[in-house]
Amino acid sequence: MNGTRVGYARCSTDEQDVVIQTEQLLTLGVPEDRIYIDRGFSGTTRRNRTGLDQALAAVWNGSVFTVTKFDRFARNMVEANEILSDLSGRGVLFGLGGSVYDWKDTFGRLFLQTLAMVAEFEANLGNLRTREGMALAKKNGKLKGKQPKLPEPARRSIRRRYAEGEVSLADLATEYSVGRSTIHRIIHGPETSR
């Protein structure tokens, strides 16, 4: 297959890196200016994935949309099938690593549908494990929700000083290095008893 490759790379968090994926795409023959990247997306939905949208817009008849691993592309069977059908309808092949698949080929379609099913299953398993872990942590008293930005003594001081007209909301926000909305919640929210 001699079609020009367009590459896509994705990582789930902003802290993760796509260097390895990018290097693999370059090795597969994807030109550097044709690699599109999304950072901070799980892949379970196509929503708001600008890099994916750009990569899909950059392909044309005879080109190869290329990813290093299927779960970088999609972790949702319905959306994977929709995207692969659209690519096929435009004459675009799907490159997975060094292999190229044609959605119109019976065996190629079966293989890609199986990968989509496994990717979605793995995503669902991860979600299930997370929920189980959170339930256990909550049961053991280790999951208490989002903790306040400021300790209770500071919160009491803020309420007292504001009530006495000593300082403004903006001054308190600057002093405690928090947003004005945080100070507003402390002043107007319920007091916690300790």
Side-chain angles (χ1 to χ4, degrees):
M1 179 73 227
N2 294 330
T4 302
R5 289 182 179 252
V6 172
Y8 175 69
R10 178 191 63 76
C11 58
S12 300
T13 67
D14 291 329
E15 292 80 33
Q16 291 176 330
D17 207 335
V18 292
V19 171
I20 293 172
Q21 291 178 67
T22 303
E23 288 174 355
Q24 290 172 342
L25 289 170
L26 291 169
T27 301
L28 291 168
V30 179
E32 189 170 358
D33 65 336
R34 294 209 179 268
I35 296 176
Y36 299 88
I37 299 170
D38 277 320
R39 289 180 176 83
F41 293 96
S42 70
T44 55
T45 180
R46 182 178 174 181
R47 200 170 329 129
N48 299 323
R49 288 168 62 191
T50 308
L52 178 59
D53 291 338
Q54 291 172 336
L56 294 172
V59 294
W60 63 93
N61 188 4
S63 62
V64 181
F65 178 87
T66 306
V67 294
T68 58
K69 291 194 281 184
F70 195 89
D71 69 350
R72 300 295 88 197
F73 158 65
R75 300 186 91 181
N76 171 315
M77 287 178 53
V78 172
E79 289 181 354
N81 285 335
E82 288 172 359
I83 295 169
L84 290 167
S85 294
D86 175 65
L87 289 173
S88 178
R90 294 191 286 149
V92 178
L93 298 175
F94 184 79
L96 180 59
S99 301
V100 177
Y101 299 93
D102 184 349
W103 187 248
K104 292 175 185 166
D105 174 69
T106 305
F107 294 106
R109 181 184 291 239
L110 173 65
F111 181 68
L112 294 175
Q113 286 175 327
T114 302
L115 290 178
M117 181 178 61
V118 170
E120 183 172 316
F121 175 70
E122 287 176 339
N124 290 339
L125 267 184
N127 291 337
L128 177 64
R129 288 185 192 120
T130 299
R131 286 193 305 274
E132 288 172 346
M134 290 175 72
L136 181 61
K138 187 174 184 177
K139 179 181 171 189
N140 294 333
K142 295 183 180 184
L143 182 67
K144 298 178 181 170
K146 188 174 179 183
Q147 300 301 308
K149 289 187 179 182
L150 298 172
E152 187 54 33
R155 297 164 70 84
R156 280 194 301 268
S157 175
I158 288 169
R159 282 190 286 273
R160 179 189 54 76
R161 291 172 61 204
Y162 185 79
E164 293 172 359
E166 211 176 292
V167 288
S168 71
L169 197 127
D171 291 337
L172 288 165
T174 301
E175 180 181 335
Y176 286 93
S177 300
V178 294
R180 291 173 67 171
S181 59
T182 298
I183 300 297
H184 186 272
R185 277 192 301 276
I186 291 170
I187 293 168
H188 300 290
E191 293 187 36
T192 55
S193 55
R194 295 213 188 247

